[in-house]
Structure formats: structure tokens, C-alpha cells
Amino acid sequence: GFFTGALELELLWTALVLQVWLVLLLHQLPWRIHAANYVDCWLHIGFVAVVTIGALLVTPKRKDAFVVVGPLTAVIALLVIASLSPLFILLFRKVRRTKRFLMFLCHHKGGAGIWARWMQVLVEEKDSQPIFL
């Protein structure tokens, strides 16, 4: 086969598989602790970079390996850059100061309390942030 003895191609395909896994990781964010998701993403990006650089440093045994190595390296580099943008967006959202409550809802005595609670239920069904009542 084409990959027999072609270490540089095996490394690049490994980097490509890791890159697909990174995209899935960014989409799903499987860890309960948000910091674990960020650390996992950064470790994946670092590992993809190390494997890709390692593939470029290997002296190819086959002369036609360069036909695949160049474009595959470019695809991996573009995927790494594309993966960094959602990661920076996630970090920005986490660092950005957020309000604890969506709104402060107040009411006048007795009967208005029922209407305020009803409005609270309706709004909280549409938005995940709590309402202070």
C-alpha cells in the first residue's frame, strides 16, 4: 500500500484523526468542569502540532510522498487554525463578565405576585438564565 513504510504519512494521518477528534471535542465539550474542556483542547492542539512537525522532520523513503505530505500538512494547519477560533470564542465567553440573573422582576402585593411568578416561568422557559423575583 501507499502508507507502507511511509512514517511521515502515517504521522500526518494520525494528526488528521486527532484534528477530527478535536473538532468533536469542541462541539460536545464532554467534561463537566469547563477548565478540563479547555485543557483537553489545548493538549490536543499541542499534540497535533508535535505530530505534524514530526512528520515534516522525517526524511521520506518514497519520492512521491511529498505529493501527499504538502497538501495534507496544509489541511492540518488550516484545521488547527479553524479549531482555535471556537476555542478563543469559548474562552472569551467564559472570561467575559456575565450577569447572575437575566432580569429583576418586582411586583406590588398579593395578586400581582401570581402574575409575576407566571411571567418568570414563561421567560425562564425561553432563556436559561434565572430571573430574580
Side-chain angles (χ1 to χ4, degrees):
F2 189 74
F3 292 111
T4 307
L7 179 62
E8 65 281 356
L9 295 177
E10 291 174 4
L11 287 171
L12 286 174
W13 281 114
T14 302
L16 192 60
V17 168
L18 286 170
Q19 188 64 37
V20 169
W21 185 259
L22 176 63
V23 169
L24 290 173
L25 179 70
L26 284 169
H27 185 266
Q28 295 296 323
L29 297 175
W31 307 110
R32 281 184 156 182
I33 302 170
H34 291 291
N37 288 312
Y38 301 134
V39 169
D40 198 3
C41 290
W42 285 111
L43 288 174
H44 264 80
I45 289 170
F47 191 54
V48 167
V50 167
V51 170
T52 304
I53 291 169
L56 294 175
L57 295 176
V58 172
T59 305
K61 293 179 182 175
R62 299 174 53 133
K63 293 179 182 172
D64 58 350
F66 286 113
V67 174
V68 177
V69 170
L72 199 54
T73 303
V75 166
I76 291 171
L78 288 174
L79 286 173
V80 167
I81 291 169
S83 296
L84 286 175
S85 58
L87 191 59
F88 283 124
I89 290 170
L90 287 172
L91 285 172
F92 175 74
R93 286 182 184 166
K94 190 67 179 168
V95 172
R96 186 181 64 188
R97 186 176 176 204
T98 59
K99 296 180 195 176
R100 185 171 171 194
F101 296 102
L102 179 64
M103 67 175 70
F104 175 77
L105 192 60
C106 65
H107 59 84
H108 189 266
K109 307 259 179 180
I114 294 170
W115 293 108
R117 284 183 185 79
W118 180 57
M119 181 182 249
Q120 178 186 22
V121 169
L122 290 177
V123 173
E124 283 181 346
E125 285 178 354
K126 301 288 182 191
D127 200 306
S128 61
Q129 276 188 294
I131 296 173
F132 186 82
L133 180 63

